[in-house]
Amino acid sequence: MTRILIAEDEPRIVRFLAKGLQAQGYVTACAADGRQALDLALTGEFDLLLLDLGLPGLDGLDVLAALRRRAVRLPVIVLTARGSTEDVVTGLDAGANDYVRKPFRLAELLARIRSQLRPEHRAEEFVLRNGDLSLDLRTRQARAGGRTVDLSAREFALAEMFLRHPGQVLSREQLLSHVWGYDFDPGSNVVEVYVRYLRNKIGADRIATVRGAGYRLVRRLEG
Ligand code: CA
């Protein structure tokens, strides 16, 4: 069981992260200030720390420095505000393993998390398949019906979400938060639009509409 500590003081982002990570099977705990974040990180009970830099009490960078001073090797992914290159450099210098800029997409953050986790915790599959539909997560190449399909980054993230949950109904809200992030207008029809793009590219019958509930990848046998 992989345990992730979320050090973030903005309740909306904490909820988004906790919900998204738990849906992937991670166990989460939250710290809303730097002091608590450091105390929890030092318990040794966590496999990874998501660290907001602007924390009350003790700044994120101070938390990071305190951990590294104590030779704690816990992987740390820093969450930074958009465009603050200085924060990124400072964070990496202070011993962060990686960083994600806000606002971020859950899909991107999950990929960063997976790459930081120790191999025994990593349930990494490099190629996701459903029948003759496949996505190679390393080369970002998609294949459907025996041919290569050119997908945009968003289409790929959407296809990945479907392939990770074959046969399961995914709501518009789940797809929106996973592929577009928490800053996206929930009234937007972007999910419908991208499902249509994806159907045009991989075959309309692969993604079923479940009226009033969302969309579902139609399970197929190996083909
Ligand atoms: Ca903050």
Side-chain angles (χ1 to χ4, degrees):
M1 193 168 290
T2 305
R3 300 171 64 92
I4 297 180
L5 176 59
I6 302 166
E8 167 66 67
D9 60 324
E10 203 178 310
R12 189 175 59 122
I13 299 181
V14 172
R15 277 196 303 275
F16 170 79
L17 286 172
K19 217 169 118 186
L21 293 174
Q22 285 162 18
Q24 301 293 316
Y26 296 115
V27 175
T28 63
C30 305
D33 69 71
R35 180 61 58 190
Q36 193 192 10
L38 181 58
D39 287 346
L40 286 173
L42 288 172
T43 61
E45 285 176 13
F46 294 92
D47 301 295
L48 187 135
L49 167 62
L50 294 179
L51 180 64
D52 175 34
L53 290 187
L55 286 176
L58 191 61
D59 190 65
L61 281 176
D62 295 333
V63 173
L64 188 54
L67 286 174
R68 297 310 185 220
R69 251 197 328 270
R70 290 167 169 82
V72 174
R73 298 173 63 89
L74 178 70
V76 176
I77 299 179
V78 159
L79 309 174
T80 75
R82 190 198 328 239
S84 51
T85 309
E86 208 170 302
D87 277 359
V88 169
V89 174
T90 317
L92 293 174
D93 281 351
N97 299 76
D98 204 350
Y99 67 91
V100 173
R101 282 180 208 277
K102 293 177 183 177
F104 49 82
R105 295 178 298 123
L106 195 57
E108 184 196 349
L109 180 66
L110 290 172
R112 303 290 181 100
I113 288 174
R114 282 194 298 272
S115 77
Q116 287 303 327
L117 291 172
R118 295 195 300 272
E120 63 266 32
H121 288 136
R122 222 188 273 174
E124 183 68 295
E125 298 165 88
F126 292 119
V127 180
L128 301 174
R129 283 178 208 288
N130 186 256
D132 62 1
L133 173 64
S134 68
L135 291 184
D136 188 318
L137 302 176
R138 287 164 302 185
T139 61
R140 314 299 290 175
Q141 203 183 55
R143 291 180 68 78
R147 64 193 167 84
T148 300
V149 183
D150 207 14
L151 297 183
S152 70
R154 291 267 200 234
E155 290 163 353
F156 194 95
L158 188 61
E160 180 182 342
M161 181 71 171
F162 280 118
L163 277 162
R164 285 190 186 278
H165 303 89
Q168 191 180 320
V169 178
L170 299 172
S171 69
R172 238 177 106 263
E173 189 202 18
Q174 277 176 304
L175 294 169
L176 199 58
S177 74
H178 197 93
V179 179
W180 283 270
Y182 53 88
D183 263 0
F184 221 85
D185 171 16
S188 156
N189 69 341
V190 70
V191 172
E192 288 81 346
V193 170
Y194 271 80
V195 165
R196 191 162 70 233
Y197 290 163
L198 196 57
R199 279 174 170 155
N200 286 340
K201 292 186 176 179
I202 65 171
D205 56 341
R206 290 180 199 267
I207 301 172
T209 301
V210 183
R211 201 175 291 266
Y215 300 96
R216 179 172 59 83
L217 181 75
V218 178
R219 272 176 183 279
R220 289 191 178 181
L221 297 174
E222 288 300 319

